[in-house]
Amino acid sequence: MGSIKGLEWTFDTVASIYEKLRPGYSDELYKMLFNYISISQSSNVVEVGIGGGQATLPILKTGCNLTAVEYGEQFSKICKEKFKEYPNFAVITDKFENTKLEDETYDLIYSASAFHWVPEEIGYPKVFAMLKKGGAFARFANHPYRDKDNPVLSAEIDKVYEAYYCKYYNKKQESPKEYTEEEAQNRAMIAEKYGFTDIRYALFYRKRVFTAKEYIMLLGTYSDHIAIEETIRNEFFTKIEEAILKHGGSINIYDTIDLQLARK
């Protein structure tokens, strides 16, 4: 699903649903991350945009000192409660670009499905300055692709999007596309412009299955969907739910998860 700049606030309005329905990340991803940078109790780590904490626990379990920077007040509250048993965990409620954090202090800074909200020309230099020499920046995200096993359902959902989403935003209908390795590589190489070295990337895959009702709830956690006027959004979601129910009652989502790593 697309993201529209200026809609960062929308996620916090559905924080509890987001925390339940947005997926975590694969064990293979964390294995690659920890092979790239060793994290222990003596490490200082920052997570940019913790959201519902989907990417946090594997990092916290290393015993590191983890500071999360989160723009949403509700997300901050949820994560403070969720990780309250970890004394090494803290949350700063603010935008990353506005947060005062010390330079040359952190071993790892990472962001899961959130760094695209930070202006590139601000975010990368700030991360670089905050990292210790040899420290790592990890950027990863989940890119869902709608049911490629059921083209009839997918085509019907496309028609619903054209009638509601595209009309609301006055946008031309574009068919969904799977996230590619070329896109992952291009995203990884952004870091090179800002002085990072030892740049690597990898892709990981999985399949998720949703009932019609679950899928509608998931759509309700996407910023550009949340921002649609409520009456239109409700009708839009109802039509999608009806399409799924008409074509078997469930929908498959194929996720491509990309990981980019870079070193100071």
Side-chain angles (χ1 to χ4, degrees):
M1 298 301 164
S3 62
I4 299 174
K5 289 296 183 182
L7 295 185
E8 300 94 324
W9 59 271
T10 57
F11 297 115
D12 206 47
T13 66
V14 293
S16 60
I17 298 173
Y18 185 108
E19 190 272 333
K20 290 181 176 64
L21 286 178
R22 285 296 186 100
Y25 300 88
S26 65
D27 292 341
E28 292 79 10
L29 182 150
Y30 291 105
K31 182 177 180 181
M32 182 173 176
L33 172 58
F34 294 140
N35 283 338
Y36 185 81
I37 182 79
S38 180
I39 299 299
S40 66
Q41 291 182 347
S42 63
S43 302
N44 295 317
V45 177
V46 169
E47 179 175 2
V48 179
I50 191 172
Q54 282 81 1
T56 309
L57 193 57
I59 310 293
L60 267 181
K61 284 183 174 179
T62 66
C64 69
N65 300 301
L66 196 159
T67 300
V69 180
E70 172 54 50
Y71 182 41
E73 292 184 6
Q74 295 305 314
F75 279 132
S76 294
K77 290 177 182 177
I78 286 172
C79 289
K80 284 177 183 177
E81 177 63 24
K82 188 174 183 177
F83 303 119
K84 63 183 179 182
E85 63 187 82
Y86 292 91
N88 52 321
F89 175 74
V91 179
I92 297 172
T93 306
D94 201 352
K95 288 187 175 183
F96 175 68
E97 51 266 46
N98 297 338
T99 304
K100 303 294 184 184
L101 293 163
E102 292 186 22
D103 289 348
E104 300 183 353
T105 300
Y106 298 95
D107 302 277
L108 169 67
I109 299 173
Y110 75 101
S111 186
S113 298
F115 207 69
H116 60 287
W117 294 110
V118 181
E120 176 191 317
E121 66 278 7
I122 297 175
Y124 279 89
K126 185 175 180 117
V127 168
F128 191 87
M130 289 167 54
L131 286 170
K132 298 176 183 176
K133 182 67 175 176
F137 176 46
R139 177 178 179 174
F140 46 103
N142 184 54
H143 306 273
Y145 181 67
R146 193 200 313 139
D147 209 337
K148 56 188 174 184
D149 295 330
N150 196 336
V152 176
L153 170 59
S154 194
E156 190 162 334
I157 291 176
D158 281 344
K159 290 180 182 178
V160 177
Y161 267 84
E162 186 171 10
Y164 291 92
Y165 179 95
C166 295
K167 184 177 180 181
Y168 184 82
Y169 284 113
N170 194 26
K171 293 177 67 174
K172 185 178 179 181
Q173 171 76 317
E174 295 181 4
S175 298
K177 296 180 180 178
E178 277 193 277
Y179 189 76
T180 66
E181 182 171 354
E182 182 181 5
E183 289 176 289
Q185 183 179 26
N186 290 340
R187 179 175 286 184
M189 296 312 296
I190 293 171
E192 189 176 46
K193 295 192 295 183
Y194 298 94
F196 289 89
T197 61
D198 192 16
I199 296 169
R200 308 179 195 181
Y201 72 94
L203 297 176
F204 309 90
Y205 303 93
R206 70 180 165 206
K207 173 183 172 182
R208 293 179 287 154
V209 182
F210 293 89
T211 65
K213 185 67 69 177
E214 288 170 341
Y215 187 62
I216 293 308
M217 291 176 68
L218 176 67
L219 290 183
T221 69
Y222 289 109
S223 60
D224 50 352
H225 290 56
I226 301 167
I228 295 173
E229 192 276 325
E230 185 177 7
T231 303
I232 298 171
R233 184 176 70 245
N234 289 341
E235 189 173 341
F236 171 38
F237 284 2
T238 297
K239 294 294 184 182
I240 293 177
E241 185 175 2
E242 288 173 352
I244 296 170
L245 289 171
K246 188 169 76 173
H247 294 279
S250 65
I251 184 168
N252 297 327
I253 300 299
Y254 291 84
D255 291 332
T256 301
I257 303 168
D258 64 333
L259 168 66
Q260 289 90 27
L261 296 167
R263 196 180 305 278
K264 179 174 178 177

